Amino acid sequence: MANKTLLVAQREYLENVRTKTFWIGILIVPLLIGAMVGATALLEKLKQVQRYTVVDLGPGDLLERAEREFRSGDAKLLFQLAAKATNDPRLAALQQKLGATGDGKEPSGEQLLAVFEWMQQQDPALLAKIADVQTAKQYTYVPIAELGITATEPDARLQQLNQRVQAGDVFGYFVLGADPEQTTSDFRYVSNNLTDGALRSAYENTLTRLVQKERIAKAGIPPKVAEHIQRRVEFQKLQVDATTGATTDVKNENVIDKWAPVGFVYFLWMAIFSIANLLLTSTIEEKGNRTIEVLLSSVSPHQLMQGKIWGIAATGLTIVGTWVGFGALSAWLAPMFLGDTSGGMIGALLTALRNGGYLFAFVVYFLGGYLLYAAVLVAIGSVCNTLKEAQNLMQPVMMILMVPLLAMMFIGQEPNGLVAKVLSFIPLFTPFAMMNRAGGPPQTWEYIATTILLIATIWFFMRAAGKVFRVGVLMTGNPPKLREILGWLRQS
Amino acid sequence: MNHALTLHGVTKRFGSFTAVSNLSLEVPKGCIYGFLGQNGAGKTTTIRMVMSIFHPDEGRISVLGHADAQEVKDRLGYLPEEKGLYKKMKTAEIVAYFGKLKGMDSRTANNKARELLTRYGLGDWLDKKCEAMSKGMGQKVQVLGSIIHEPELVILDEPFSGLDPVNRDTMRDIILDMKRQGRTVIFSTHGMEQAEQLCDYVMMIHKSKLQFAGTLSEIKKGRDLGIQLDYDGDGRVLAQLPGLSRINDNGKHAEIYLQVGTDPQRALRWLLDHVTVKRFDYREPSLHEIFVRTVDEANQKLTATAEAR
């Protein structure tokens, strides 16, 4: 009995594994993801350094101070690097210039000035090579003089600057007002690209800090008091641990827990849908090429159906297994090629990949989801003679399958919300919803209850599919109406 | 128990349509049995019931002494009317696969598949994919797939359809080889010549009802003798033969039936005067003639009953 099912499954598996489509299917996903990650990294690298200039209408040295403040993060980083023993000749030079570096963490004002001076002499590209200088990597300050601005009268000068912006010599320019202490309403930022607001907001933050400092000093408030007043209220993030019930610190991984399941759901959906579809096409093909009757003279319809379902399940598991393998591999290899990937969906996915639980859940929910939809699709395939006929019957299935995709982001944000819980208990959505909630995570009883419900539904669907298959597989001509199919189900 | 297959009062309906009506039949072991009938007469439905693909609404079927073909599946061979192969599988693989499905172990099935294919002229195709084969070759592959496990009873639904003369001969050899090995072969066909040459027994169904069944000589016994004529000349003149009852004119060959009491000698003399006679045989009717006449008579009877109502 079981032996014949196995034979059918084996044939089905081998036939699939031997095709080019199968290998393309296996390789295309990792390749696509690899290409996506690579392209993102490449784009990041290719992003041009934005050149900007500043016109200071005020009498003071606001421009210089702003520039220093803007690059203070970079300067501090370089200072810290120089404070350590270093082999880099450039950093060594900086070290010498700085002399004693104190504790090596907080530079004094003078030291910072020295670093600034040194930075200005260096090529930004070189700086980027020795340290992760974010500002230097992204923005370059070009003094007005270097832009060949000849006019001295303010309006004409701005006119000329506008031309420079138009010509693309600079990405944009800032105009610092005459009296920032009183008002900043005459501060301007001019650029042809206002959608990319990163430069503007970074510079804005810098100026805000500077101007605030000045105003505080003017008002005679001691800096310590000012700092105290200005300190933001921040909540410490804690989470109730699922097992102990105590609160635990939440680290970075929470972002990961929020996004990684969404990525997994997406892959789960693709895997279940494409592999269950394979079963549909294979069933229709078998009907189309008339092999079904010979087969039925050797095996029972039940054996044939089960053989097909499991043969393709094996095919699917091979694909999914390969993906998982690729995923695990890339999780370990990625840091070597991509450097720091923390933050963002890819980083989140990679971290999650290092967590075996996700991979295990993925494989289990793939199998569960596949078997459920396989029962539906094998029944549809058995009553259709062509793919075209099947498409009509597939429409409601597709509509149902859209739900987890639409709810994906929503559940990711509220993994224990009402929608998430309700969807978890509808077996058609259980695999997707539960995978989606993995970051929550759901309570143990929910895992148990939904799994029992899912298995029961699979059993029920398989029985129903068996009844439809038995009759449908020998039918030719138009596919039966839903009413007729329901009639078959009622028969023993 | 010396019957490979018995049907007793078997009826099958699809909705309001009766496909097979009260059919009783016995197929002795070790014979070649022909199922005759027009398209849609009920042959394939009968065969499918024998194979337990359909279940009869009434009546009993016994296959190799078992009520359900499922129990003796592995001792049966079946070539369905709709023939198809997995396009992507290799010839030897698919024949072996069918054998394995019938319970053969893998190695025996593989060896046997190659041996059979080679024996019946497909030795060059062992490792080629089925999609590359012609229809006739595919059909041979299928038949071999249905007999690889040396079944006691083989049922072939129209094995000759669509075959060229050479492949027809191969098919005939396969069937005769089976008989020589003591197996029972049932096949359905539209080719009366094949049935006449190959079959020990034939039966005919027309519009779901059994018309006759038995050995060829039993069926022919008592029927009008007819003239088998090979001739040259204008065949239209044959219709004017005095005392003519029915004629099947094929242009070069004609089958002529005379009215009761007409002397065949006189007919021969008349024929000699009107066409060039190449062969003249006065003998029992051909299966073709019996078939056509049975269809005619049955249809007349049906029209008569319909009118009587």
Side-chain angles (χ1 to χ4, degrees):
Chain A
M1 275 294 277
N3 190 20
K4 289 188 177 180
T5 310
L6 202 67
L7 273 169
V8 175
Q10 190 186 27
R11 197 207 71 83
E12 198 74 41
Y13 179 71
L14 285 178
E15 177 160 297
N16 282 315
V17 169
R18 277 190 202 162
T19 59
K20 284 193 203 94
T21 339
F22 174 80
W23 290 104
I24 293 171
I26 270 199
L27 293 175
I28 199 137
V29 171
L31 282 180
L32 271 181
I33 296 170
M36 206 172 77
V37 172
T40 322
L42 194 69
L43 281 177
E44 203 60 46
K45 269 191 190 150
L46 284 179
K47 198 181 170 194
Q48 278 185 332
V49 178
Q50 292 177 349
R51 286 154 57 90
Y52 67 95
T53 190
V54 185
V55 179
D56 190 357
L57 300 178
D61 58 349
L62 182 60
L63 197 160
E64 283 77 28
R65 281 187 291 132
E67 193 56 27
R68 277 202 295 270
E69 178 70 26
F70 193 37
R71 295 178 189 272
S72 59
D74 286 359
K76 204 165 146 187
L77 184 71
L78 285 165
F79 170 83
Q80 283 161 354
L81 281 175
K84 288 180 213 153
T86 174
N87 292 328
D88 190 286
R90 285 163 300 222
L91 280 177
L94 176 62
Q95 207 173 14
Q96 222 161 23
K97 188 175 169 142
L98 291 169
T101 47
D103 65 351
K105 284 202 176 140
E106 279 303 318
S108 67
E110 271 167 46
Q111 281 172 325
L112 260 187
L113 278 176
V115 178
F116 283 132
E117 206 174 294
W118 178 81
M119 274 167 75
Q120 270 159 9
Q121 292 155 7
Q122 309 294 324
D123 179 4
L126 276 176
L127 280 183
K129 268 186 195 154
I130 46 178
D132 191 22
V133 281
Q134 287 301 326
T135 315
K137 269 183 189 170
Q138 298 175 54
Y139 314 114
T140 304
Y141 168 66
V142 188
I144 292 189
E146 283 177 26
L147 285 168
I149 306 289
T150 47
T152 45
E153 196 264 323
D155 281 348
R157 204 154 58 148
L158 292 185
Q159 202 68 44
Q160 281 188 333
L161 272 172
N162 286 348
Q163 283 164 13
R164 292 291 177 277
V165 169
Q166 206 129 43
D169 290 346
V170 286
F171 185 79
Y173 66 87
F174 295 93
V175 179
L176 308 183
D179 189 5
E181 209 184 295
Q182 292 304 320
T183 172
T184 54
S185 60
D186 51 351
F187 278 48
R188 300 269 183 280
Y189 170 63
V190 181
S191 173
N192 265 351
N193 181 352
L194 288 176
T195 21
D196 186 349
L199 168 64
R200 182 187 45 78
S201 69
Y203 205 74
E204 230 166 40
N205 290 339
T206 307
L207 262 295
T208 309
R209 283 199 300 276
L210 268 184
V211 171
Q212 275 177 350
K213 240 184 245 172
E214 231 155 81
R215 287 176 184 162
I216 287 161
K218 256 278 164 57
I221 302 166
K224 286 223 162 149
V225 178
E227 199 203 337
H228 182 68
I229 291 170
Q230 283 182 306
R231 183 167 295 153
R232 289 176 46 82
V233 176
E234 268 176 34
F235 289 95
Q236 192 193 351
K237 290 179 229 158
L238 294 171
Q239 192 173 34
V240 182
D241 191 276
T243 42
T244 61
T247 55
T248 47
D249 252 335
V250 170
K251 289 168 217 88
N252 249 356
E253 290 199 359
N254 225 31
V255 190
I256 292 154
D257 283 343
K258 194 165 123 187
W259 292 116
V262 173
F264 275 101
V265 171
Y266 186 68
F267 285 116
L268 189 66
W269 192 92
M270 281 209 314
I272 288 177
F273 180 65
S274 59
I275 290 157
N277 231 334
L278 206 61
L279 180 66
L280 176 77
T281 12
S282 147
T283 310
I284 293 175
E285 203 185 319
E286 214 151 74
K287 262 193 93 177
N289 69 16
R290 311 288 183 200
T291 33
I292 220 118
E293 212 176 320
V294 195
L295 294 176
L296 289 184
S297 71
S298 306
V299 301
S300 69
H302 177 77
Q303 288 169 332
L304 181 61
M305 189 183 93
Q306 291 297 330
K308 291 184 78 63
I309 289 177
W310 287 100
I312 291 192
T315 314
L317 283 175
T318 310
I319 296 181
V320 166
T322 317
W323 288 359
V324 165
F326 267 112
L329 197 70
S330 62
W332 295 109
L333 291 181
M336 280 186 228
F337 295 108
L338 298 174
D340 185 26
T341 47
S342 57
M345 194 146 158
I346 288 162
L349 259 184
L350 289 178
T351 315
L353 282 174
R354 292 188 201 111
N355 171 353
Y358 279 111
L359 295 183
F360 176 74
F362 183 71
V363 174
V364 169
Y365 282 128
F366 162 73
L367 198 61
Y370 162 77
L371 288 176
L372 194 65
Y373 283 94
V376 179
L377 265 62
V378 83
I380 291 180
S382 73
V383 299
C384 297
N385 294 304
T386 61
L387 263 182
K388 211 172 170 184
E389 286 173 5
Q391 266 163 8
N392 288 331
L393 286 167
M394 277 297 287
Q395 261 171 12
V397 181
M398 282 309 298
M399 245 131 62
I400 290 170
L401 268 171
M402 287 318 287
V403 174
L405 270 194
L406 294 174
M408 191 163 78
M409 288 296 185
F410 190 70
I411 295 179
Q413 270 170 345
E414 261 192 276
N416 286 318
L418 186 64
V419 175
K421 286 196 174 174
V422 168
L423 288 186
S424 303
F425 281 91
I426 300 173
L428 281 169
F429 306 132
T430 302
F432 305 106
M434 289 304 278
M435 187 81 234
N436 214 161
R437 296 175 61 191
Q443 289 174 338
T444 315
W445 76 265
E446 285 184 284
Y447 275 116
I448 295 170
T450 54
T451 306
I452 290 173
L453 206 57
L454 180 63
I455 292 174
T457 314
I458 291 173
W459 181 84
F460 178 76
F461 272 34
M462 285 283 180
R463 263 181 59 103
K467 286 178 184 176
V468 175
F469 190 86
R470 205 175 52 196
V471 188
V473 92
L474 281 169
M475 277 190 47
T476 46
N478 286 331
K481 306 235 162 44
L482 197 62
R483 205 158 44 90
E484 292 174 63
I485 296 178
L486 289 177
W488 301 346
L489 292 182
R490 250 177 260 123
Q491 288 165 17
S492 62
Chain B
M1 265 312 286
N2 40 13
H3 288 122
L5 171 69
T6 46
L7 277 75
H8 190 84
V10 170
T11 299
K12 177 72 190 175
R13 295 181 201 91
F14 295 105
S16 60
F17 174 72
T18 307
V20 175
S21 156
N22 195 23
L23 177 65
S24 297
L25 201 67
E26 286 176 341
V27 177
K29 275 189 179 166
C31 74
I32 300 180
Y33 205 116
F35 279 18
L36 312 179
Q38 281 184 290
N39 291 329
K43 296 179 304 253
T44 297
T45 307
T46 307
I47 289 173
R48 284 181 170 176
M49 282 192 286
V50 172
M51 293 308 300
S52 281
I53 291 170
F54 292 156
H55 293 281
D57 296 321
E58 287 162 31
R60 288 194 315 274
I61 298 178
S62 156
V63 187
L64 299 174
H66 290 258
D68 189 349
Q70 301 282 349
E71 296 166 22
V72 286
K73 253 182 179 175
D74 292 352
R75 292 156 64 194
L76 301 178
Y78 175 47
L79 173 77
E81 182 187 15
E82 306 262 23
K83 299 163 187 80
L85 295 166
Y86 292 108
K87 292 181 198 138
K88 300 284 174 200
M89 272 178 105
K90 290 174 185 160
T91 311
E93 263 175 15
I94 199 164
V95 174
Y97 175 61
F98 288 140
K100 286 181 222 167
L101 282 182
K102 293 289 193 184
M104 293 174 84
D105 71 84
S106 180
R107 180 194 262 184
T108 321
N110 288 331
N111 291 341
K112 187 76 192 279
R114 301 182 90 83
E115 183 214 312
L116 277 178
L117 285 163
T118 313
R119 191 195 309 165
Y120 293 108
L122 287 167
D124 295 339
W125 291 81
L126 294 176
D127 294 311
K128 298 208 171 120
K129 283 186 181 170
C130 292
E131 60 189 349
M133 284 193 299
S134 71
K135 190 189 166 205
M137 285 193 271
Q139 204 151 319
K140 278 202 285 189
V141 168
Q142 275 216 305
V143 171
L144 296 180
S146 65
I147 63 167
I148 178 174
H149 58 296
E150 306 189 334
E152 291 164 51
L153 171 63
V154 189
I155 301 179
L156 311 172
D157 204 348
E158 298 191 19
F160 291 100
S161 74
L163 291 185
D164 64 49
V166 178
N167 281 327
R168 249 167 223 249
D169 284 356
T170 316
M171 189 64 72
R172 181 200 61 203
D173 293 344
I174 294 173
I175 292 174
L176 286 174
D177 286 347
M178 299 283 296
K179 187 192 170 186
R180 282 185 205 117
Q181 291 159 5
R183 310 178 195 288
T184 314
V185 183
I186 295 175
F187 72 91
S188 75
T189 184
H190 293 302
M192 293 303 129
E193 268 174 66
Q194 258 111 29
E196 197 147 13
Q197 289 162 10
L198 270 172
C199 292
D200 303 308
Y201 294 81
V202 292
M203 70 89 144
M204 179 182 168
I205 315 184
H206 182 67
K207 296 202 169 151
S208 83
K209 289 196 176 66
L210 182 71
Q211 302 298 323
F212 56 76
T215 61
L216 275 173
S217 49
E218 276 167 10
I219 287 159
K220 290 189 174 180
K221 207 158 80 183
R223 295 194 192 250
D224 307 344
L225 298 186
I227 297 166
Q228 303 289 332
L229 177 74
D230 289 356
Y231 71 96
D232 267 342
D234 187 352
R236 278 175 297 184
V237 74
L238 295 178
Q240 291 154 28
L241 175 70
L244 179 77
S245 153
R246 279 172 47 80
I247 179 164
N248 271 326
D249 182 17
N250 299 313
K252 295 276 179 202
H253 167 266
E255 200 171 348
I256 296 166
Y257 292 90
L258 302 172
Q259 288 161 9
V260 183
T262 311
D263 182 4
Q265 299 299 320
R266 278 183 57 196
L268 174 59
R269 247 173 259 134
W270 188 91
L271 287 168
L272 285 168
D273 290 343
H274 290 83
V275 291
T276 317
V277 175
K278 303 190 120 179
R279 184 173 72 95
F280 181 92
D281 251 349
Y282 186 62
R283 50 188 272 190
E284 55 198 7
S286 69
L287 200 53
H288 181 100
E289 171 64 18
I290 295 172
F291 184 96
V292 175
R293 210 178 269 194
T294 309
V295 169
D296 276 354
E297 282 165 13
N299 282 347
Q300 275 164 22
K301 220 185 278 173
L302 283 175
T303 333
T305 31
E307 276 167 8
R309 266 182 219 156

